[in-house]
Amino acid sequence: MSLFRDDGVVLRTQKLGEADRIITLLTRGHGRVRAVARGVRRTKSKFGARLEPFSHVDVQFFARGSELVGRGLPLCTQSETIAAYGGGIVTDYARYTAGTAMLETAERFTDHEGEPAVQQYLLLVGALRTLARGEHAPHLVLDAFLLRSLAVNGYAPSFGDCARCGMPGPNRFFSVASGGSVCVDCRVPGSVVPSPQTLVLLGALLTGDWETADACEARYVREGSGLVSAYLHWHLERGLRSLRYVEK
């Protein structure tokens, strides 16, 4: 019998029995963890209110054995709120749909339970904080999070130099299968020709240049979101269900 403590973001919840829930969290030290929270669906449970999606919490787990992730699900025995980002997200449709897509993305990129994914965890916390504060347009925050998630997982796209031969950019063509921008000699069937401003926008989102991103015209933002979505779907091999509801 062992006790574990970790910081985590609640990704989703599932009903279990009459009063319990299975809570899926992305934690700092243990990666993605599923745990049972008993009695949290009861009306008088204050514990349950802290374990809702978008919540950043300090959680204590009780597990059988010396490992947090084992044969059976651990119990979530205590929870303290670090930041309740849901309050600034769920009241606005655009923020809510963007936030839901972030949570689904984080879960998809951490498909092996118990494996630490610190960069993904920090990206998610920062993106939810920015989204809840309303500092930038929700769809821009989402696209920035998706691009950086791809990057920390080894799929960083190129928006300048050719992704295949390294020819200095800007380059006209963009190929999802090739890894981003490609030159005229490296273009493959299915390559598209996005606006130069769109590639500048995507590069700004990837590097955190919010001054450039916030000033971009809506038509380039829409085109950029389409490229990000296609690139993400290619590497995840299947789409995100929540992306269809995101306002552009």
Side-chain angles (χ1 to χ4, degrees), residues 187-240:
R187 63 173 176 170
V188 295
S191 299
V192 296
V193 186
S195 301
Q197 294 91 332
T198 298
L199 297 179
V200 169
L201 166 65
L202 295 180
L205 292 175
L206 182 60
T207 59
D209 181 2
W210 285 105
E211 183 177 356
T212 298
D214 289 336
C216 196
E217 294 182 30
R219 54 178 171 164
Y220 304 129
V221 172
R222 287 192 296 270
E223 185 177 38
S225 291
L227 292 180
V228 172
S229 178
Y231 195 85
L232 179 72
H233 290 185
W234 173 268
H235 288 287
L236 288 179
E237 297 182 353
R238 58 189 176 93
L240 297 178

Coordinates of all heavy atoms in Angstrom, one line a residue, residues 187-240:
R187 N 8.5 19.4 -53.7 CA 7.0 19.3 -53.5 C 6.5 17.9 -54.0 O 7.1 17.3 -54.9 CB 6.3 20.4 -54.2 CG 6.5 20.4 -55.7 CD 5.6 21.4 -56.4 NE 5.8 21.5 -57.8 CZ 5.1 22.1 -58.7 NH1 4.0 22.8 -58.3 NH2 5.3 22.1 -60.0
V188 N 5.5 17.5 -53.3 CA 4.9 16.1 -53.6 C 3.4 16.3 -54.0 O 2.8 17.4 -53.7 CB 5.1 15.2 -52.4 CG1 6.5 14.9 -52.1 CG2 4.4 15.8 -51.2
P189 N 2.8 15.3 -54.6 CA 1.4 15.4 -54.9 C 0.6 15.7 -53.6 O 0.9 15.0 -52.6 CB 1.1 14.1 -55.5 CG 2.3 13.6 -56.1 CD 3.4 14.1 -55.2
G190 N -0.3 16.5 -53.6 CA -1.1 16.9 -52.5 C -0.6 18.1 -51.7 O -1.3 18.6 -50.8
S191 N 0.5 18.7 -52.2 CA 1.0 19.9 -51.6 C 0.1 21.1 -51.9 O -0.6 21.1 -52.9 CB 2.4 20.3 -52.1 OG 3.3 19.2 -51.8
V192 N 0.0 22.0 -51.0 CA -0.9 23.2 -51.1 C 0.0 24.4 -51.2 O 1.2 24.4 -50.8 CB -2.0 23.3 -50.0 CG1 -2.9 22.1 -50.0 CG2 -1.3 23.4 -48.6
V193 N -0.6 25.5 -51.6 CA 0.1 26.8 -51.7 C -0.6 27.8 -50.8 O -1.5 28.6 -51.2 CB 0.2 27.3 -53.1 CG1 1.0 28.6 -53.2 CG2 0.7 26.2 -54.1
P194 N -0.3 27.8 -49.5 CA -0.9 28.8 -48.6 C -0.4 30.2 -48.8 O 0.7 30.4 -49.4 CB -0.6 28.3 -47.2 CG 0.7 27.6 -47.4 CD 0.7 27.0 -48.8
S195 N -1.1 31.2 -48.3 CA -0.6 32.6 -48.4 C 0.6 32.7 -47.5 O 0.7 32.1 -46.5 CB -1.7 33.5 -47.8 OG -2.9 33.4 -48.6
P196 N 1.6 33.5 -48.0 CA 2.8 33.8 -47.2 C 2.4 34.3 -45.8 O 3.1 33.9 -44.8 CB 3.5 34.8 -48.0 CG 3.1 34.6 -49.4 CD 1.6 34.2 -49.3
Q197 N 1.4 35.1 -45.7 CA 1.0 35.6 -44.3 C 0.5 34.5 -43.4 O 0.7 34.6 -42.2 CB -0.1 36.6 -44.5 CG 0.3 37.9 -45.2 CD 0.1 37.8 -46.7 OE1 0.1 36.7 -47.3 NE2 -0.2 39.0 -47.4
T198 N -0.1 33.4 -44.0 CA -0.5 32.3 -43.2 C 0.7 31.6 -42.5 O 0.7 31.2 -41.4 CB -1.3 31.3 -44.0 OG1 -2.5 32.0 -44.5 CG2 -1.8 30.1 -43.2
L199 N 1.7 31.4 -43.3 CA 2.9 30.7 -42.8 C 3.6 31.6 -41.8 O 4.2 31.1 -40.8 CB 3.9 30.4 -43.9 CG 3.3 29.4 -45.0 CD1 4.4 29.2 -46.1 CD2 3.0 28.1 -44.3
V200 N 3.6 32.9 -42.0 CA 4.2 33.8 -40.9 C 3.4 33.7 -39.6 O 3.9 33.6 -38.5 CB 4.1 35.3 -41.4 CG1 4.5 36.2 -40.3 CG2 5.1 35.4 -42.6
L201 N 2.0 33.6 -39.7 CA 1.2 33.5 -38.6 C 1.5 32.2 -37.8 O 1.7 32.2 -36.6 CB -0.3 33.5 -39.0 CG -1.3 33.0 -37.9 CD1 -1.3 33.9 -36.7 CD2 -2.7 32.8 -38.5
L202 N 1.6 31.1 -38.5 CA 1.8 29.8 -37.9 C 3.2 29.8 -37.2 O 3.4 29.2 -36.2 CB 1.7 28.7 -38.9 CG 0.3 28.5 -39.5 CD1 0.3 27.3 -40.5 CD2 -0.7 28.2 -38.4
G203 N 4.2 30.4 -37.9 CA 5.5 30.5 -37.3 C 5.5 31.3 -36.0 O 6.2 31.0 -35.0
A204 N 4.7 32.3 -36.0 CA 4.5 33.2 -34.8 C 3.9 32.4 -33.7 O 4.3 32.6 -32.5 CB 3.7 34.4 -35.2
L205 N 2.8 31.6 -34.0 CA 2.2 30.9 -32.9 C 3.1 29.8 -32.4 O 3.1 29.5 -31.1 CB 0.9 30.2 -33.5 CG -0.2 31.1 -33.9 CD1 -1.3 30.3 -34.6 CD2 -0.8 31.8 -32.7
L206 N 3.9 29.2 -33.2 CA 4.8 28.2 -32.7 C 5.9 28.8 -31.8 O 6.3 28.1 -30.8 CB 5.5 27.5 -33.9 CG 6.5 26.3 -33.6 CD1 5.8 25.2 -32.8 CD2 7.1 25.8 -34.9
T207 N 6.4 30.0 -32.1 CA 7.5 30.6 -31.3 C 7.0 31.5 -30.2 O 7.8 32.0 -29.4 CB 8.4 31.4 -32.3 OG1 7.6 32.4 -32.9 CG2 9.0 30.4 -33.3
G208 N 5.7 31.8 -30.2 CA 5.1 32.7 -29.1 C 5.2 34.1 -29.4 O 5.2 35.0 -28.5
D209 N 5.2 34.5 -30.7 CA 5.2 35.9 -31.1 C 3.8 36.4 -31.2 O 3.2 36.4 -32.3 CB 5.9 36.0 -32.5 CG 6.0 37.5 -33.0 OD1 5.5 38.4 -32.3 OD2 6.4 37.7 -34.1
W210 N 3.2 36.7 -30.1 CA 1.8 37.1 -30.0 C 1.4 38.4 -30.6 O 0.3 38.6 -31.1 CB 1.3 37.0 -28.6 CG 1.1 35.6 -28.0 CD1 1.9 35.0 -27.2 CD2 0.1 34.7 -28.4 NE1 1.5 33.7 -27.0 CE2 0.3 33.5 -27.7 CE3 -1.0 34.8 -29.3 CZ2 -0.5 32.4 -27.9 CZ3 -1.8 33.7 -29.4 CH2 -1.6 32.5 -28.7
E211 N 2.4 39.3 -30.7 CA 2.2 40.6 -31.3 C 1.8 40.4 -32.8 O 0.9 41.0 -33.4 CB 3.4 41.5 -31.2 CG 3.2 42.9 -31.8 CD 4.4 43.8 -31.5 OE1 5.3 43.4 -30.8 OE2 4.4 44.9 -32.0
T212 N 2.6 39.5 -33.5 CA 2.3 39.2 -34.9 C 1.0 38.4 -35.0 O 0.2 38.7 -35.9 CB 3.5 38.4 -35.5 OG1 4.7 39.2 -35.4 CG2 3.2 38.0 -36.9
A213 N 0.8 37.4 -34.2 CA -0.4 36.6 -34.3 C -1.7 37.4 -34.1 O -2.6 37.2 -34.8 CB -0.3 35.4 -33.3
D214 N -1.7 38.2 -33.1 CA -2.9 39.0 -32.8 C -3.3 40.0 -33.9 O -4.4 40.3 -34.0 CB -2.7 39.8 -31.4 CG -2.7 38.8 -30.2 OD1 -3.3 37.7 -30.3 OD2 -2.2 39.2 -29.2
A215 N -2.3 40.4 -34.6 CA -2.5 41.4 -35.7 C -2.9 40.8 -37.0 O -3.2 41.5 -38.0 CB -1.3 42.3 -35.9
C216 N -2.9 39.5 -37.1 CA -3.1 38.8 -38.4 C -4.6 38.9 -38.8 O -5.5 38.8 -38.0 CB -2.7 37.3 -38.3 SG -2.5 36.5 -39.9
E217 N -4.9 39.0 -40.1 CA -6.2 39.1 -40.6 C -7.0 37.7 -40.5 O -6.3 36.7 -40.5 CB -6.2 39.5 -42.1 CG -5.7 40.9 -42.3 CD -5.8 41.2 -43.8 OE1 -6.7 40.7 -44.5 OE2 -4.9 42.0 -44.2
A218 N -8.3 37.8 -40.4 CA -9.1 36.6 -40.1 C -9.0 35.5 -41.2 O -9.0 34.3 -40.9 CB -10.6 37.0 -39.9
R219 N -8.8 35.9 -42.4 CA -8.7 35.0 -43.5 C -7.5 34.1 -43.4 O -7.5 32.9 -43.7 CB -8.8 35.6 -44.9 CG -7.8 36.7 -45.1 CD -7.9 37.3 -46.5 NE -7.0 38.5 -46.6 CZ -6.7 39.1 -47.8 NH1 -7.1 38.5 -48.9 NH2 -6.0 40.2 -47.8
Y220 N -6.4 34.7 -42.9 CA -5.2 33.9 -42.8 C -5.2 33.1 -41.5 O -4.7 32.0 -41.5 CB -4.0 34.9 -42.7 CG -3.8 35.8 -43.9 CD1 -3.7 37.2 -43.7 CD2 -3.9 35.3 -45.2 CE1 -3.6 38.0 -44.8 CE2 -3.8 36.1 -46.3 CZ -3.6 37.5 -46.1 OH -3.5 38.4 -47.2
V221 N -6.0 33.5 -40.5 CA -6.2 32.7 -39.3 C -7.0 31.5 -39.7 O -6.6 30.4 -39.2 CB -6.9 33.5 -38.2 CG1 -7.3 32.6 -37.0 CG2 -6.0 34.7 -37.7
R222 N -8.0 31.6 -40.5 CA -8.8 30.4 -40.9 C -8.0 29.5 -41.7 O -8.1 28.2 -41.5 CB -10.1 30.9 -41.6 CG -11.1 31.6 -40.8 CD -12.4 31.7 -41.6 NE -12.2 32.6 -42.7 CZ -12.4 33.9 -42.6 NH1 -12.8 34.5 -41.5 NH2 -12.3 34.7 -43.7
E223 N -7.2 30.0 -42.6 CA -6.4 29.1 -43.4 C -5.3 28.4 -42.6 O -5.1 27.2 -42.7 CB -5.7 29.9 -44.5 CG -4.9 29.0 -45.5 CD -4.2 29.8 -46.6 OE1 -3.8 31.0 -46.4 OE2 -4.2 29.3 -47.8
G224 N -4.8 29.1 -41.6 CA -3.8 28.5 -40.8 C -4.4 27.4 -39.9 O -3.8 26.4 -39.7
S225 N -5.6 27.6 -39.4 CA -6.2 26.6 -38.6 C -6.5 25.3 -39.3 O -6.4 24.2 -38.8 CB -7.6 27.2 -38.0 OG -7.3 28.2 -37.1
G226 N -6.8 25.5 -40.6 CA -7.0 24.3 -41.5 C -5.7 23.5 -41.6 O -5.7 22.3 -41.6
L227 N -4.6 24.2 -41.8 CA -3.3 23.5 -41.9 C -2.9 22.8 -40.6 O -2.4 21.7 -40.7 CB -2.2 24.5 -42.4 CG -2.3 25.1 -43.8 CD1 -1.2 26.1 -44.0 CD2 -2.3 24.0 -44.8
V228 N -3.1 23.5 -39.5 CA -2.8 22.9 -38.2 C -3.6 21.7 -38.0 O -3.1 20.6 -37.5 CB -3.0 23.9 -37.1 CG1 -2.8 23.3 -35.7 CG2 -2.1 25.1 -37.2
S229 N -4.9 21.7 -38.3 CA -5.8 20.6 -38.1 C -5.4 19.4 -39.0 O -5.3 18.3 -38.5 CB -7.2 21.0 -38.4 OG -8.1 19.9 -38.3
A230 N -5.1 19.7 -40.2 CA -4.6 18.6 -41.1 C -3.3 18.0 -40.7 O -3.2 16.8 -40.7 CB -4.5 19.2 -42.5
Y231 N -2.4 18.8 -40.2 CA -1.1 18.3 -39.8 C -1.3 17.5 -38.5 O -0.6 16.4 -38.3 CB -0.2 19.5 -39.5 CG 1.3 19.2 -39.4 CD1 2.1 19.0 -40.5 CD2 1.9 19.0 -38.1 CE1 3.4 18.7 -40.4 CE2 3.2 18.6 -38.0 CZ 4.0 18.5 -39.2 OH 5.3 18.2 -39.1
L232 N -2.1 17.9 -37.6 CA -2.3 17.2 -36.4 C -3.0 15.8 -36.7 O -2.6 14.8 -36.1 CB -3.2 18.0 -35.4 CG -3.6 17.4 -34.1 CD1 -2.4 17.3 -33.2 CD2 -4.8 18.1 -33.4
H233 N -4.0 15.8 -37.5 CA -4.7 14.6 -37.8 C -3.7 13.6 -38.5 O -3.8 12.4 -38.3 CB -5.9 14.9 -38.8 CG -7.0 15.6 -38.1 ND1 -8.2 15.9 -38.7 CD2 -7.1 16.1 -36.8 CE1 -9.0 16.5 -37.9 NE2 -8.3 16.7 -36.7
W234 N -2.8 14.1 -39.3 CA -1.9 13.2 -40.0 C -1.0 12.5 -39.0 O -0.8 11.2 -39.1 CB -1.0 14.0 -40.9 CG 0.1 13.2 -41.6 CD1 1.4 13.1 -41.1 CD2 0.1 12.5 -42.8 NE1 2.1 12.3 -41.9 CE2 1.3 11.9 -43.0 CE3 -1.0 12.2 -43.7 CZ2 1.6 11.1 -44.0 CZ3 -0.6 11.4 -44.8 CH2 0.6 10.8 -45.0
H235 N -0.6 13.2 -38.0 CA 0.4 12.6 -37.0 C -0.4 11.8 -35.9 O 0.2 10.8 -35.4 CB 1.3 13.6 -36.4 CG 2.3 14.1 -37.4 ND1 3.4 13.4 -37.8 CD2 2.4 15.3 -38.1 CE1 4.1 14.0 -38.6 NE2 3.5 15.2 -38.8
L236 N -1.6 12.1 -35.6 CA -2.4 11.3 -34.7 C -3.0 10.2 -35.3 O -3.5 9.3 -34.6 CB -3.4 12.2 -34.0 CG -2.9 13.2 -33.0 CD1 -4.1 14.0 -32.4 CD2 -2.1 12.6 -31.8
E237 N -3.1 10.2 -36.6 CA -3.7 9.1 -37.5 C -5.2 9.1 -37.4 O -5.8 8.3 -38.1 CB -3.1 7.8 -37.1 CG -1.6 7.7 -37.4 CD -1.0 6.3 -37.1 OE1 -1.7 5.5 -36.5 OE2 0.2 6.1 -37.4
R238 N -5.8 9.8 -36.6 CA -7.3 10.0 -36.6 C -7.6 11.3 -35.9 O -6.8 11.8 -35.1 CB -8.0 8.8 -35.8 CG -7.6 8.6 -34.4 CD -8.2 7.3 -33.9 NE -7.8 7.0 -32.5 CZ -8.5 7.4 -31.4 NH1 -9.6 8.1 -31.6 NH2 -8.1 7.0 -30.2
G239 N -8.7 11.9 -36.3 CA -9.0 13.3 -35.9 C -9.4 13.4 -34.4 O -9.8 12.4 -33.8
L240 N -9.5 14.6 -34.0 CA -10.0 14.9 -32.7 C -11.5 15.2 -32.8 O -11.9 16.1 -33.6 CB -9.3 16.2 -32.1 CG -7.8 16.1 -31.8 CD1 -7.3 17.4 -31.3 CD2 -7.5 15.0 -30.8

